[in-house]
Amino acid sequence: MEKEKVIKSSEIIGGSGLESSLIQLIQDHNLTIIKAREQADKAKKDSLKSSIRVLDLLVDTVNGGVQETFVNQKRIEHEIRALTAKTIKFTKQTDQWLTASHAINSALKNIGDFENWMKTMDYDCKIINAAIRNIYKP
């Protein structure tokens, strides 16, 4: 579009050699500027495309690590739940074993107490028996 403006302005002005040289210089300058702008725009577009591609690659790389971390976190949480359930189960079993062993210990203590009571009773009966024999001795 700018090329057309430059060409039309040269057709309107026309004229002498110096003027036409000047107009030619202006046209060349304008064309150079237009080409430079087009190259700059193309470079901007290419740069933008490259930047977007690099950004996409970086995001994919980061997201890949994040996704792997997320999967690992879910796996760890699942293992924690399973271990918690097993720990609760083993705690209940341990409590049952402690209760049973306490009952056995109490029974053994009672047996020991009963045995001691029996020995005391046997000793007392022997003393009473000896006393009664001494009383009725001829």
Side-chain angles (χ1 to χ4, degrees), residues 45-61:
K45 288 177 184 178
D46 291 344
S47 174
L48 185 60
K49 286 179 183 178
S50 296
S51 298
I52 289 171
R53 179 68 181 142
V54 167
L55 183 63
D56 287 343
L57 290 173
L58 288 173
V59 168
D60 289 344
T61 301

Side-chain angles (χ1 to χ4, degrees), residues 1-70:
M1 184 171 198
E2 290 185 32
K3 291 179 185 178
E4 292 175 3
K5 289 181 184 177
V6 172
I7 293 172
K8 286 182 182 177
S9 65
S10 66
E11 290 174 356
I12 294 172
I13 295 176
S16 70
L18 183 60
E19 250 182 68
S20 64
S21 295
L22 234 133
I23 291 172
Q24 185 64 37
L25 280 175
I26 291 172
Q27 288 176 350
D28 290 344
H29 175 71
N30 287 339
L31 286 176
T32 306
I33 289 174
I34 290 170
K35 286 181 182 179
R37 280 187 191 155
E38 288 173 353
Q39 286 177 347
D41 287 343
K42 184 180 177 191
K44 279 183 188 178
K45 288 177 184 178
D46 291 344
S47 174
L48 185 60
K49 286 179 183 178
S50 296
S51 298
I52 289 171
R53 179 68 181 142
V54 167
L55 183 63
D56 287 343
L57 290 173
L58 288 173
V59 168
D60 289 344
T61 301
V62 170
N63 282 344
V66 169
Q67 182 179 6
E68 184 178 337
T69 303
F70 180 74

Side-chain angles (χ1 to χ4, degrees), residues 101-118:
S101 66
H102 180 68
I104 290 171
N105 285 339
S106 295
L108 290 174
K109 183 179 175 188
N110 288 336
I111 289 172
D113 288 345
F114 179 73
E115 186 178 358
N116 189 32
W117 178 79
M118 289 295 293

Side-chain angles (χ1 to χ4, degrees), residues 67-83:
Q67 182 179 6
E68 184 178 337
T69 303
F70 180 74
V71 168
N72 287 339
Q73 180 183 0
K74 290 297 180 185
R75 193 176 309 138
I76 289 169
E77 287 174 357
H78 178 71
E79 290 292 327
I80 287 172
R81 284 189 205 105
L83 287 173

